[in-house]
Amino acid sequence: MSASAVYVLDLKGKVLISKNYRGDVDMSEIEHFLSLLMDKEEEGTLSPILAHGGVRFMWIKHNNLYLVATSRKNASVSLVFSFLYKIIQVFSEYFKELEEESIRDNFVVIYELMDELMDFGYPQTTDSKILQEYITQEGHKLDTGAPRPPATVTNAVSWRSEGIKYRKNEVFLDIVESVNLLVSANGNVLCSEIVGSVKMRVFLSGMPELRLGLNDKVLFENTGRGKSKSVELEDVKFNQCVRLSRFEDDRTISFIPPDGEFELMSYRLNTHVKPLIWIESVIEKHSHSRIEYMIKAKSQFKRRSTANNVEFHIPVPMDADTPQFKTTVGSVKWIPENSQIVWSVKSFPGGKEYLMRAHFGLPSVEAEDKEGKPPISVKFEIPYFTTSGIQVRYLKIIEKSGYQALPWVRYITKNGDYQRRTQ
Amino acid sequence: MPYLGGDEVVRELRRALVNPHIQSDHLRYRNIIKRVIRVMSQGVDVSGLFSEMVKACATVDIVQKKLVYVFLCSYACVNPELSLLVINTLTKDCCDSNPMVRSLALRNMCNLRLPGLCEYVEQPLMVGLKDKVACVRRVAVLGWAKIHALRPNTEMDAAVVNELYGLLRDPDPVVMVNCLRALDEILQEEGGVAINKPVAHHLLNRLKECDVWGQSEVLAVLQRYQPRSEDELFNILSLLDPALHSHHAPIMAATLRLFLSLCSTMPAVCLSALERARASLLASTGSSSRELRYAALCHVQLLLRSEPGLMGDHYKRFFCGYAEPPYIKQSKIQVLVELVNDDNVLIILDELKGYCTDVNTETSQAAINALGFIGRSYGDRCLDILTGLLELKQEHITSAVIQTLRDLVWVSPQCGDAVCSALEGWEDQLQDTQGRGALLWLLGIYGDRSECFCLDLLRLRT
């Protein structure tokens, strides 16, 4: 795949840190990058790969940084981008917030990391848990000399070290389902799917073997429980620690977990249930004088559940002014920088309907440029609730010292890309 | 900190580096080295400090060593003679008891990229290939590739090549993959590393142990292998099957490519592979990373050319989100055009109508062109939409619509009448040459159908 060099730039195109892996592309080529980017943006033909002479720039943007990889050869583009995103993930786990300041303040660790992440343009060790074992921010004590590479760098179970010990052995499972919904302007549901993620936080000693039992439809049918309530998972993707061959054979999810926090699996399924929060909007625009919004929100899930921190983001024209709001519940705020109003409802129980009216004045002189029509988007969180009906039936923990550990399971449904288009 | 000119800073740093008090205090010495690197990162030319930095190399502090190596690798090419002074320290470090120090020294010896150093580097590299610890072997393997890159015209010693082939059986998967990469580069003239049956089977068996990068490397290399019998072929396919559903889009794409090339004579197998990979491919089109989404969309476009029915009913996945960048929207529009059939034409046309008024002119033009394509099979409905768009009286839209109408008429002359009646009266809107040219062409073809057109022609001339 081979990248030639990797650079981290600030928003003005100045190089903050760079590493030349192959030496076949001159390091000064990067000076052409930002002007190329600006030109393309002006023309409206921006793309992830820019070319100058024989050199290709593959770039991504993160906060106020650009990460750029250069190459002269026919590198595998999706791999280079995967690698750039991996760098961002590793750096974010080290520095929490990854932005210009974090690069400037931690350049020693970053040089060390860039040395280990890639050699001669080929990715080497990219697992952040492993890297954190021998590249640390506190620096090394001067007397003890250099650290030794952990056995995990050379082991088959490369994601977990030996000899981990906890006083209290616990496991936390969070099943987070994000709902993606796209409703057209005339009320048709164009797309409705659930993207689920099983996240775990593992605080267990030793090298435990875990087995997770879900109410998986295929598993139930294989074991003669086809009639029980089950969920049909599509597109299941597992963490590298899960034994895929066992899953293919008999749908058992068995694994040795990494220590700490990680995502065990993700799944996707299309759903035909009623959208959890249904919005209807009536927008009356009287050019040159005023625009009126009437938004009706209905919660279509069972009464004993409640959605928390619900926010409706409704776009308003850039030149609107003098807002007036009236609502049965919650509060409305106008955010002129984003050209939207946000209707916040702290607690939205199931089976209820709420109304919000808004009124804006419009200037008598209309703006020259045409504005786009962004959709209404919704944010919400419903704890102790899953749309798909997925259930953790058991979590078996087996370790050679035979300790008992407690699993804690939590379900939560939240918004993904939840949008309703307007007329 | 007051801003000092570049020269001032270099002088101050040199004074600090040669100061014996600082040299004896490890922490202060390390901090000065850090300052040098920080200043270097900010773009100041610190090459004048080369000899002082060389002396700083001989230390037990590994962080300081790494920083000095960063400096040396950047400036070695300007100071080749002085770089030779570092060789002693580096060679000593290659025999250090700590494997991290060994691997660091080996790696940086090769990263100095000085052809004159090659003779000194070869011996430590040979020893490194047989090192007990895997991380040193990994570095040594790639080190040989780097040496080859420095001296592209010199033949690599056959003993080294043999040793690298041997290391394909190394227990550490990263060493194995690094060998593949190194051999590919060294044997480039001969077509890269030779994949015969034992090597191919060995790689396939170890595929699961490799990480994402290793797997994609192995899958790419396996493209060169041709199985001898059908049994062998099917064994390979069943081994690779789980990778078609892989978590990582690049692995799935590489496996798919391998499947398709291995089964090029068996279309049924190809089709079933495509169908199994379809879910993964569709999921990638919704990936959170825009670049991967774009790559997945390009894949889909490519596959649809040979298997038009591949995406089936999943056309809704290609509807554009409001905030997506133009290059993704335009790709999705192209895919939607390929997916139109009798059942979904109304819904897709409705969607495309929405995109025609997109804020980005390129995207709206792409949507209008798409309507033109679909219009070849579903003429009336598209014409209605297109004429409706003219009512918006927006210049770039009108221009694009006229051009699309021209293309439509060229391909399906039967819509000529409908187009004519739609055209009357819109010539004032057009300012750009493309639009006017299209209108002129249409007038040329249909000028005899309406008197008004002749008047329009005269107006255009003035």
Side-chain angles (χ1 to χ4, degrees), chain A residues 265-283:
Chain A
M265 62 187 268
S266 65
Y267 55 90
R268 205 189 55 82
L269 47 107
N270 277 321
T271 173
H272 305 288
V273 303
K274 283 198 284 199
L276 296 172
I277 297 191
W278 184 256
I279 312 158
E280 294 197 1
S281 64
V282 177
I283 305 178

PDB file of all heavy atoms in Angstrom, chain A residues 265-283:
ATOM      1  N   MET A 265     -19.367  -5.683  19.202  1.00  0.00           N
ATOM      2  CA  MET A 265     -19.936  -5.977  17.894  1.00  0.00           C
ATOM      3  C   MET A 265     -20.862  -4.854  17.479  1.00  0.00           C
ATOM      4  O   MET A 265     -21.326  -4.071  18.328  1.00  0.00           O
ATOM      5  CB  MET A 265     -20.717  -7.297  17.930  1.00  0.00           C
ATOM      6  CG  MET A 265     -21.900  -7.285  18.875  1.00  0.00           C
ATOM      7  SD  MET A 265     -22.666  -8.889  19.038  1.00  0.00           S
ATOM      8  CE  MET A 265     -23.897  -8.820  17.780  1.00  0.00           C
ATOM      9  N   SER A 266     -21.123  -4.798  16.179  1.00  0.00           N
ATOM     10  CA  SER A 266     -22.115  -3.840  15.713  1.00  0.00           C
ATOM     11  C   SER A 266     -23.018  -4.562  14.734  1.00  0.00           C
ATOM     12  O   SER A 266     -22.594  -5.512  14.074  1.00  0.00           O
ATOM     13  CB  SER A 266     -21.451  -2.641  15.061  1.00  0.00           C
ATOM     14  OG  SER A 266     -20.787  -3.037  13.899  1.00  0.00           O
ATOM     15  N   TYR A 267     -24.263  -4.149  14.670  1.00  0.00           N
ATOM     16  CA  TYR A 267     -25.194  -4.800  13.762  1.00  0.00           C
ATOM     17  C   TYR A 267     -26.112  -3.756  13.189  1.00  0.00           C
ATOM     18  O   TYR A 267     -26.188  -2.619  13.669  1.00  0.00           O
ATOM     19  CB  TYR A 267     -26.014  -5.880  14.474  1.00  0.00           C
ATOM     20  CG  TYR A 267     -26.766  -5.382  15.694  1.00  0.00           C
ATOM     21  CD1 TYR A 267     -28.064  -4.897  15.585  1.00  0.00           C
ATOM     22  CD2 TYR A 267     -26.177  -5.384  16.952  1.00  0.00           C
ATOM     23  CE1 TYR A 267     -28.748  -4.417  16.685  1.00  0.00           C
ATOM     24  CE2 TYR A 267     -26.855  -4.910  18.055  1.00  0.00           C
ATOM     25  CZ  TYR A 267     -28.138  -4.427  17.922  1.00  0.00           C
ATOM     26  OH  TYR A 267     -28.796  -3.947  19.019  1.00  0.00           O
ATOM     27  N   ARG A 268     -26.799  -4.160  12.133  1.00  0.00           N
ATOM     28  CA  ARG A 268     -27.702  -3.224  11.480  1.00  0.00           C
ATOM     29  C   ARG A 268     -28.948  -3.993  11.166  1.00  0.00           C
ATOM     30  O   ARG A 268     -28.877  -5.167  10.811  1.00  0.00           O
ATOM     31  CB  ARG A 268     -27.049  -2.733  10.189  1.00  0.00           C
ATOM     32  CG  ARG A 268     -27.516  -1.403   9.703  1.00  0.00           C
ATOM     33  CD  ARG A 268     -26.955  -1.152   8.320  1.00  0.00           C
ATOM     34  NE  ARG A 268     -27.295  -2.245   7.422  1.00  0.00           N
ATOM     35  CZ  ARG A 268     -28.447  -2.365   6.790  1.00  0.00           C
ATOM     36  NH1 ARG A 268     -29.378  -1.454   6.960  1.00  0.00           N
ATOM     37  NH2 ARG A 268     -28.673  -3.382   6.004  1.00  0.00           N
ATOM     38  N   LEU A 269     -30.112  -3.372  11.321  1.00  0.00           N
ATOM     39  CA  LEU A 269     -31.289  -4.031  10.791  1.00  0.00           C
ATOM     40  C   LEU A 269     -32.304  -2.997  10.343  1.00  0.00           C
ATOM     41  O   LEU A 269     -32.432  -1.934  10.931  1.00  0.00           O
ATOM     42  CB  LEU A 269     -31.899  -5.017  11.807  1.00  0.00           C
ATOM     43  CG  LEU A 269     -32.106  -4.599  13.242  1.00  0.00           C
ATOM     44  CD1 LEU A 269     -33.568  -4.375  13.517  1.00  0.00           C
ATOM     45  CD2 LEU A 269     -31.642  -5.732  14.142  1.00  0.00           C
ATOM     46  N   ASN A 270     -33.006  -3.341   9.265  1.00  0.00           N
ATOM     47  CA  ASN A 270     -34.075  -2.470   8.799  1.00  0.00           C
ATOM     48  C   ASN A 270     -35.269  -2.702   9.677  1.00  0.00           C
ATOM     49  O   ASN A 270     -35.514  -3.799  10.135  1.00  0.00           O
ATOM     50  CB  ASN A 270     -34.451  -2.801   7.357  1.00  0.00           C
ATOM     51  CG  ASN A 270     -33.520  -2.126   6.400  1.00  0.00           C
ATOM     52  OD1 ASN A 270     -33.128  -1.007   6.623  1.00  0.00           O
ATOM     53  ND2 ASN A 270     -33.142  -2.819   5.359  1.00  0.00           N
ATOM     54  N   THR A 271     -36.009  -1.675   9.936  1.00  0.00           N
ATOM     55  CA  THR A 271     -37.156  -1.865  10.802  1.00  0.00           C
ATOM     56  C   THR A 271     -38.381  -1.229  10.177  1.00  0.00           C
ATOM     57  O   THR A 271     -38.292  -0.210   9.498  1.00  0.00           O
ATOM     58  CB  THR A 271     -36.898  -1.261  12.192  1.00  0.00           C
ATOM     59  OG1 THR A 271     -38.100  -1.319  12.936  1.00  0.00           O
ATOM     60  CG2 THR A 271     -36.456   0.178  12.088  1.00  0.00           C
ATOM     61  N   HIS A 272     -39.515  -1.883  10.379  1.00  0.00           N
ATOM     62  CA  HIS A 272     -40.745  -1.328   9.828  1.00  0.00           C
ATOM     63  C   HIS A 272     -41.684  -0.860  10.922  1.00  0.00           C
ATOM     64  O   HIS A 272     -42.860  -0.653  10.692  1.00  0.00           O
ATOM     65  CB  HIS A 272     -41.438  -2.391   8.956  1.00  0.00           C
ATOM     66  CG  HIS A 272     -40.526  -2.908   7.892  1.00  0.00           C
ATOM     67  ND1 HIS A 272     -40.166  -2.147   6.809  1.00  0.00           N
ATOM     68  CD2 HIS A 272     -39.859  -4.069   7.786  1.00  0.00           C
ATOM     69  CE1 HIS A 272     -39.337  -2.850   6.063  1.00  0.00           C
ATOM     70  NE2 HIS A 272     -39.124  -4.008   6.624  1.00  0.00           N
ATOM     71  N   VAL A 273     -41.138  -0.698  12.133  1.00  0.00           N
ATOM     72  CA  VAL A 273     -42.009  -0.204  13.205  1.00  0.00           C
ATOM     73  C   VAL A 273     -42.245   1.279  12.967  1.00  0.00           C
ATOM     74  O   VAL A 273     -41.523   1.936  12.227  1.00  0.00           O
ATOM     75  CB  VAL A 273     -41.399  -0.411  14.603  1.00  0.00           C
ATOM     76  CG1 VAL A 273     -41.093  -1.862  14.822  1.00  0.00           C
ATOM     77  CG2 VAL A 273     -40.170   0.424  14.785  1.00  0.00           C
ATOM     78  N   LYS A 274     -43.262   1.796  13.668  1.00  0.00           N
ATOM     79  CA  LYS A 274     -43.554   3.215  13.511  1.00  0.00           C
ATOM     80  C   LYS A 274     -42.366   4.024  14.015  1.00  0.00           C
ATOM     81  O   LYS A 274     -41.760   3.670  15.025  1.00  0.00           O
ATOM     82  CB  LYS A 274     -44.786   3.580  14.347  1.00  0.00           C
ATOM     83  CG  LYS A 274     -46.093   3.146  13.700  1.00  0.00           C
ATOM     84  CD  LYS A 274     -47.257   3.872  14.301  1.00  0.00           C
ATOM     85  CE  LYS A 274     -47.556   3.277  15.669  1.00  0.00           C
ATOM     86  NZ  LYS A 274     -48.924   3.638  16.097  1.00  0.00           N
ATOM     87  N   PRO A 275     -42.043   5.140  13.349  1.00  0.00           N
ATOM     88  CA  PRO A 275     -40.940   5.969  13.845  1.00  0.00           C
ATOM     89  C   PRO A 275     -41.204   6.399  15.281  1.00  0.00           C
ATOM     90  O   PRO A 275     -42.322   6.745  15.636  1.00  0.00           O
ATOM     91  CB  PRO A 275     -40.967   7.181  12.914  1.00  0.00           C
ATOM     92  CG  PRO A 275     -41.619   6.701  11.678  1.00  0.00           C
ATOM     93  CD  PRO A 275     -42.597   5.659  12.088  1.00  0.00           C
ATOM     94  N   LEU A 276     -40.169   6.375  16.096  1.00  0.00           N
ATOM     95  CA  LEU A 276     -40.334   6.614  17.519  1.00  0.00           C
ATOM     96  C   LEU A 276     -40.878   8.009  17.802  1.00  0.00           C
ATOM     97  O   LEU A 276     -41.722   8.203  18.654  1.00  0.00           O
ATOM     98  CB  LEU A 276     -38.991   6.456  18.246  1.00  0.00           C
ATOM     99  CG  LEU A 276     -38.423   5.044  18.185  1.00  0.00           C
ATOM    100  CD1 LEU A 276     -37.024   5.033  18.752  1.00  0.00           C
ATOM    101  CD2 LEU A 276     -39.297   4.120  18.981  1.00  0.00           C
ATOM    102  N   ILE A 277     -40.333   8.991  17.079  1.00  0.00           N
ATOM    103  CA  ILE A 277     -40.830  10.363  17.268  1.00  0.00           C
ATOM    104  C   ILE A 277     -41.246  10.862  15.896  1.00  0.00           C
ATOM    105  O   ILE A 277     -40.441  10.924  14.971  1.00  0.00           O
ATOM    106  CB  ILE A 277     -39.739  11.264  17.874  1.00  0.00           C
ATOM    107  CG1 ILE A 277     -39.383  10.746  19.256  1.00  0.00           C
ATOM    108  CG2 ILE A 277     -40.227  12.703  17.963  1.00  0.00           C
ATOM    109  CD1 ILE A 277     -38.526  11.673  20.068  1.00  0.00           C
ATOM    110  N   TRP A 278     -42.495  11.199  15.767  1.00  0.00           N
ATOM    111  CA  TRP A 278     -43.042  11.616  14.468  1.00  0.00           C
ATOM    112  C   TRP A 278     -43.260  13.127  14.476  1.00  0.00           C
ATOM    113  O   TRP A 278     -43.796  13.665  15.426  1.00  0.00           O
ATOM    114  CB  TRP A 278     -44.364  10.896  14.217  1.00  0.00           C
ATOM    115  CG  TRP A 278     -44.929  11.197  12.877  1.00  0.00           C
ATOM    116  CD1 TRP A 278     -45.966  12.028  12.582  1.00  0.00           C
ATOM    117  CD2 TRP A 278     -44.461  10.702  11.642  1.00  0.00           C
ATOM    118  NE1 TRP A 278     -46.188  12.075  11.247  1.00  0.00           N
ATOM    119  CE2 TRP A 278     -45.277  11.265  10.631  1.00  0.00           C
ATOM    120  CE3 TRP A 278     -43.436   9.825  11.265  1.00  0.00           C
ATOM    121  CZ2 TRP A 278     -45.089  10.981   9.275  1.00  0.00           C
ATOM    122  CZ3 TRP A 278     -43.261   9.547   9.927  1.00  0.00           C
ATOM    123  CH2 TRP A 278     -44.091  10.131   8.954  1.00  0.00           C
ATOM    124  N   ILE A 279     -42.801  13.759  13.396  1.00  0.00           N
ATOM    125  CA  ILE A 279     -42.923  15.220  13.349  1.00  0.00           C
ATOM    126  C   ILE A 279     -43.785  15.608  12.168  1.00  0.00           C
ATOM    127  O   ILE A 279     -43.659  15.070  11.079  1.00  0.00           O
ATOM    128  CB  ILE A 279     -41.558  15.873  13.097  1.00  0.00           C
ATOM    129  CG1 ILE A 279     -40.520  15.289  14.021  1.00  0.00           C
ATOM    130  CG2 ILE A 279     -41.623  17.372  13.278  1.00  0.00           C
ATOM    131  CD1 ILE A 279     -39.161  15.493  13.481  1.00  0.00           C
ATOM    132  N   GLU A 280     -44.652  16.568  12.402  1.00  0.00           N
ATOM    133  CA  GLU A 280     -45.358  17.175  11.271  1.00  0.00           C
ATOM    134  C   GLU A 280     -45.102  18.662  11.323  1.00  0.00           C
ATOM    135  O   GLU A 280     -45.129  19.256  12.398  1.00  0.00           O
ATOM    136  CB  GLU A 280     -46.850  16.895  11.374  1.00  0.00           C
ATOM    137  CG  GLU A 280     -47.072  15.432  11.215  1.00  0.00           C
ATOM    138  CD  GLU A 280     -48.461  15.049  10.889  1.00  0.00           C
ATOM    139  OE1 GLU A 280     -49.310  15.961  10.753  1.00  0.00           O
ATOM    140  OE2 GLU A 280     -48.665  13.840  10.777  1.00  0.00           O
ATOM    141  N   SER A 281     -44.846  19.235  10.154  1.00  0.00           N
ATOM    142  CA  SER A 281     -44.515  20.660  10.176  1.00  0.00           C
ATOM    143  C   SER A 281     -45.338  21.386   9.133  1.00  0.00           C
ATOM    144  O   SER A 281     -45.535  20.887   8.031  1.00  0.00           O
ATOM    145  CB  SER A 281     -43.032  20.856   9.882  1.00  0.00           C
ATOM    146  OG  SER A 281     -42.736  20.416   8.586  1.00  0.00           O
ATOM    147  N   VAL A 282     -45.818  22.550   9.506  1.00  0.00           N
ATOM    148  CA  VAL A 282     -46.485  23.417   8.548  1.00  0.00           C
ATOM    149  C   VAL A 282     -45.730  24.729   8.556  1.00  0.00           C
ATOM    150  O   VAL A 282     -45.611  25.378   9.593  1.00  0.00           O
ATOM    151  CB  VAL A 282     -47.951  23.661   8.937  1.00  0.00           C
ATOM    152  CG1 VAL A 282     -48.584  24.617   7.963  1.00  0.00           C
ATOM    153  CG2 VAL A 282     -48.714  22.358   8.986  1.00  0.00           C
ATOM    154  N   ILE A 283     -45.184  25.092   7.386  1.00  0.00           N
ATOM    155  CA  ILE A 283     -44.379  26.316   7.326  1.00  0.00           C
ATOM    156  C   ILE A 283     -45.050  27.254   6.345  1.00  0.00           C
ATOM    157  O   ILE A 283     -45.220  26.925   5.174  1.00  0.00           O
ATOM    158  CB  ILE A 283     -42.951  26.007   6.852  1.00  0.00           C
ATOM    159  CG1 ILE A 283     -42.331  24.944   7.756  1.00  0.00           C
ATOM    160  CG2 ILE A 283     -42.112  27.267   6.837  1.00  0.00           C
ATOM    161  CD1 ILE A 283     -40.961  24.529   7.357  1.00  0.00           C
TER     162      ILE A 283
END
